[in-house]
Amino acid sequence: MCYMVFGLGGLLSSLTILPVLRYWPGSKQARIARVQRTVSLMFKGFVTMLTAVGIIKVSTHNLHVLQQARGNIVIANHPTLVDVVVLISLMPNAGCIVKQALWHNPFIRGVLSSVGYIPNRSANLLLQDCKQVLNRDTNLVIFPEGTRTLVGNVINQFARGAANIAIRTQSNILPVVLRTDVPGLTKQESWFQIPRQTINMSVEVADSVLQHDNEITQGNEAKMARKLTRDLQQFYLNTLSTTIDSHTDKKQKNELTQPN
C-alpha cells in the first residue's frame, strides 16, 4: 500500500502541483526552493504514513543543525531503502544526484529539473552541476557507501565521490549518522519483504560541519580526497560501533529492573 501511494503520489504531483510551482512567477532560485520545500513536505507525509502503519519510527538528534544548513554536502550511511526519503523529509532545501537514466523518463524528468536534482553524468559536468546547486544554498545529499549497507557490515567501503566534490567545490561536509535497531528494507531483501517489527531509526546530526581545508592546492586534490574519505569512513566506523536499543529491548530492561 505504501509503495502504491508513493508511486501514484509522485505521478500525480508531477502532473499537477509541481509544474505549477515550477512555472509560478519568481527567480529560478526561488522556483527551485519552492519545489524543494514542497517535495520535503510530501516526503514528510510519506514518512508519517510509514510510521502510522508500523514500518518505521524516526527519532532525531540535533535536527536544528540540519534544518539550518545551507550549501553543505550532507553525507550519511545507508542502512535502509527509505534513507533518502527520511533525510529529505527533514530538510526544506535538499538536492541529490540522480541516475542519468531517470532523466529520460517523461513522467519525472521535469520534476527532477525543477527541484534542482543533478544527473549522474561525466565527472566534469557533475562537478559543475554540484557547484551550481551548492552555490544556491541547497544541501547536497550523498551516501558515500554508494548503495545500502550489506547485512553484517557496519558500513560498506566508502567511495571518494563525496570527498572529491567537497574538495573541488570548496564546500563543507555535514555528517549524519543513521542507526537502526533491526535490519529491514536492506539490499539483500526484496522490496516487498517487510521486517516483523518496527524499524526504529535514529537520525543523529553532527554538532558542526567539517570545514573546507583552505590549504588544499591544485594538484593535491586526489591525495586529500583519499585522506578525507578514510577519515570519514573511520568516523562512521567509530560512531556506529554501538547500536541503539529497540523499544522491545528497552521494555524488557525496564521490567527486569522493576522491584517485585
Side-chain angles (χ1 to χ4, degrees):
M1 180 185 67
C2 291
Y3 285 126
M4 186 185 303
V5 170
F6 188 84
L8 291 177
L11 178 60
L12 290 174
S13 63
S14 67
L15 296 174
T16 55
I17 185 172
L18 294 184
V20 173
L21 294 174
R22 180 186 182 190
Y23 294 109
W24 198 264
S27 65
K28 180 179 179 180
Q29 183 168 345
R31 294 197 303 269
I32 291 175
R34 192 185 300 143
V35 177
Q36 287 175 349
R37 288 193 298 269
T38 303
V39 171
S40 178
L41 288 172
M42 291 167 57
F43 280 11
K44 185 174 294 186
F46 183 69
V47 172
T48 300
M49 181 182 182
L50 293 177
T51 302
V53 299
I55 295 176
I56 194 168
K57 185 174 182 180
V58 178
S59 61
T60 60
H61 174 71
N62 272 351
L63 180 59
H64 67 283
V65 177
L66 186 62
Q67 293 180 330
Q68 294 171 6
R70 297 290 183 273
N72 292 323
I73 295 175
V74 176
I75 65 168
N77 55 308
H78 200 357
T80 78
L81 180 63
V82 295
D83 296 337
V84 68
V85 175
V86 170
L87 285 176
I88 293 179
S89 75
L90 299 173
M91 284 187 290
N93 58 333
C96 58
I97 300 172
V98 181
K99 292 180 180 178
Q100 178 74 33
L102 293 178
W103 288 79
H104 301 297
N105 187 319
F107 293 103
I108 62 174
R109 180 175 54 201
V111 176
L112 295 176
S113 176
S114 62
V115 81
Y117 290 174
I118 300 171
N120 188 7
R121 43 187 183 167
S122 66
N124 289 335
L125 292 175
L126 179 62
L127 282 173
Q128 292 177 18
D129 291 341
C130 289
K131 191 165 187 175
Q132 289 179 2
V133 167
L134 292 164
N135 287 340
R136 289 198 300 260
D137 287 340
T138 294
N139 297 311
L140 188 59
V141 179
I142 298 178
F143 298 101
E145 294 177 87
T147 187
R148 280 168 282 168
T149 309
L150 295 173
V151 175
N153 289 358
V154 177
I155 54 172
N156 297 331
Q157 186 79 19
F158 274 20
R160 295 198 295 267
N164 267 314
I165 293 172
I167 289 171
R168 297 176 190 275
T169 63
Q170 300 185 4
S171 302
N172 297 328
I173 295 177
L174 179 59
V176 177
V177 176
L178 304 179
R179 299 179 192 264
T180 56
D181 61 345
V182 293
L185 303 175
T186 63
K187 186 73 173 178
Q188 287 70 49
E189 297 172 321
S190 299
W191 60 269
F192 54 82
Q193 290 182 292
I194 306 300
R196 297 178 65 87
Q197 68 185 86
T198 299
I199 302 172
N200 294 292
M201 177 182 287
S202 174
V203 181
E204 303 170 10
V205 185
D207 294 325
S208 59
V209 298
L210 300 179
Q211 298 290 332
H212 169 66
D213 189 349
N214 292 321
E215 295 182 359
I216 295 174
T217 58
Q218 186 174 5
N220 72 340
E221 295 97 336
K223 178 180 178 181
M224 294 303 298
R226 288 194 295 270
K227 180 181 184 303
L228 179 56
T229 300
R230 288 195 300 269
D231 292 344
L232 291 172
Q233 181 171 302
Q234 192 59 49
F235 166 79
Y236 276 89
L237 285 171
N238 294 340
T239 305
L240 290 167
S241 59
T242 58
T243 58
I244 62 172
D245 294 331
S246 67
H247 289 185
T248 303
D249 291 339
K250 290 178 181 178
K251 182 178 179 182
Q252 291 174 346
K253 288 180 181 179
N254 290 336
E255 290 175 349
L256 290 172
T257 56
Q258 289 177 353
N260 294 329

